[in-house]
Amino acid sequence: MTQHNFAAETGRILELLTHSIYSNKEIFLRELISNASDAIDKARLKALTDTSFLGDDTHFEIRLHIDAEAKTLTLSDNGIGMTLEEMHSHLGTIAKSGTKEFLEKLQKAKEGGEHNLIGQFGVGFYSAFMVAKQVEVVSRSGLDAKAHRWISDGKNWYEVEDAQKETRGTDVILHFSEGNEELLKEWKVKELVKKYSNYVPVPIMLEEEVSEEAKEDTKKEWKQINETKAIWKKMKSEVSEEEYKDFYQSVSMDFNAPLGRIHSSTEGVVSYKSLLYIPQETNMFADMRDPNKDYGPKLYVQNVLILEHAKELLPVWLRFVSGVVETSDLPLNISREMLQSNKTLDTIKKSLIKKILSELKKLRKDDWVKYATFFKNYGNILKEGVYYEQELKESIAEVLEFSTLLGDKNMSLDEYLEKQEWETKTIYYITGKSHSEVLASPYLEQFRASKVDVLLLTDPIDEWMIGVLDEYKWAKLKSITSSDIELTEKTEEEKKKQEKQSKDFKDILELIKNTIGSEKLEKVELNPNLWDALGALKTPDGAMNPQMEKMMRAMGQAVPPTKRVLELNPNNPLVKAMKKEFQSDIKSKKLKDIISYAYMQAILLEGGELENVTEFVNLTQTFAKDYMK
Ligand code: ADP
């Protein structure tokens, strides 16, 4: 027998597990059953390519055996088993890849007093030490004639030795520590299996006492204590809300309730069953920001788990959806490469997307408050779909929500269109970095006055989305900085006045452009619809706006700065002063100062950054001192 020491981090985790998270110790059974079930999945998968792998041992089950006298609970499975090397590498270190991350989360949860958090996190095999003072693992790999035993106190050491085991699989023997006897009771074990592992797709057998009359000779019999019929294969009427929720929590790691689910059995060119969930709250165990992380439902083919996360079944903009898909229309021995361009999967994917989008529409209608929470958490991801999925952009846009200038709560595009007083053909929007910034835009003034609503687009993804979403149903989407927007019909008098202004300002506008620099400004024009604001900067149609420019640079792309259009309001006092000065002395310093000052104000107004703040401050002081006399 050889004794080994645990890696340092493992020791710390064990310490944390056994001492601080005591209240959740009952999850040990769920973790061990889940490992056994995984091992059985692996054996099934292996048998697909190695037909002799299973031999006669083809009926899969997990057995639980209680020995009250010895105070042991034994979990046996006939899964893939472990070789000696596998025992060392799998049981000698905790959760190989995620150890550090796990420790951090655990520490945070502890500090935050969120003890139940631990129960949601797969603590794995080591949770056994929450209830046992010693754990033995006897395992025989399907690929090895020899069996081995691993024993540990879960604190410092583990030992490995040869062992006797005739059949493939693993026995995990827990030697219960003092005070945990309650968890060894038959009724308790049954309760825990029902509570945490009822959905496991393998029979879980418990040796139960059956005979009541023959007192001296109480017989024991193996009885199945879970329901093996996979939840997604059941009829909707056979599944309780509780079961749906439990299953969601087990596939998503999310401990909140989902927003909705899609449970369907589809027959057609391709037949499949699916149970998919849409989350509501943020799931702290799934990082949705990173689109490269694994996502997608589990894929079962003829009862065999082929993929834990089938990205092939859902587009990246639906990466928040979890669940299961099962089909018999794929060959069992399909490889990952073959899955990547597979017609059957494509057909299922298309049909799932349709189902999810129509479910989202329904969910929004049924309970807007819940939908709003979902949208706050996942709306940004959904919006990616408009960008990526040109053919579907309208159906995706249909389930999006926007905050608007006049609305007190978010609205959909359809609601926007319905709310307009006339048969509107335009959906107006403004983009910007934040709400406060866009709300300060002078372009909004004429909309406020005419009570025409405007979508306020302030998510970084909005820029991308709006770049491709130029139409929705019968309406065009239009930025409110477009120069041709006149919400009210002009009177003849106004028209004349405007014409005169254009003439009067022609030369000064040219001068302004040259003063600021033609590398910065494409043109300078008048806009009498800016109310009393001085002016505003805007991006010429089709050009990249400043936020997008910044984003592209942050992504490492070299983009040339876009020239802007400066719009000035002829009715603003500063602009009037500019004209007066222009008429009296075209070369004066004062004129140059007013022009620079106006330009800088326009930059600040749209939330931009000044190249030279000192210059702006100095100018302000000059104004106070010299020009305001
Ligand atoms: P996880 O299951 O998250 O990988 P665990 O700590 O629960 O982490 O288990 C570590 C590894 O030990 C598993 O990935 C698996 O390879 C192996 N293992 C655990 N239990 C069994 C079992 N019953 N049969 C075969 N292998 C097992």
Side-chain angles (χ1 to χ4, degrees), residues 31-32 35-36 38-39 42 77 80-82 90-91 93-96 122-126 139 170 172:
E31 298 296 327
L32 297 179
N35 281 350
D38 288 349
K42 285 181 196 156
D77 68 67
I80 193 140
M82 278 178 275
H90 297 333
L91 305 180
T93 50
I94 282 188
K96 292 139 286 173
V123 286
F125 170 74
Y126 283 86
S139 191
T170 304
V172 178

Side-chain angles (χ1 to χ4, degrees), residues 252-307:
S252 66
M253 303 274 269
D254 186 4
F255 50 84
N256 302 292
L259 173 73
R261 60 169 179 266
I262 302 159
H263 185 179
S264 68
S265 176
T266 310
E267 305 282 332
V269 193
V270 175
S271 300
Y272 70 92
K273 290 185 167 43
S274 64
L275 175 53
L276 298 181
Y277 292 91
I278 297 161
Q280 181 178 323
E281 308 288 344
T282 43
N283 177 357
M284 60 191 310
F285 296 112
D287 184 4
M288 292 292 158
R289 281 165 309 174
D290 184 356
N292 298 316
K293 283 233 163 130
D294 273 348
Y295 70 87
K298 289 175 191 271
L299 172 64
Y300 281 87
V301 174
Q302 298 169 37
N303 294 321
V304 180
L305 178 68
I306 300 287
L307 284 179

Side-chain angles (χ1 to χ4, degrees), residues 336-353:
R336 181 100 220 196
E337 291 70 44
M338 281 161 74
L339 284 171
Q340 266 154 28
S341 55
N342 181 282
K343 265 200 167 146
T344 307
L345 287 183
D346 279 350
T347 312
I348 299 179
K349 181 176 175 179
K350 281 211 180 83
S351 136
L352 291 178
I353 293 175

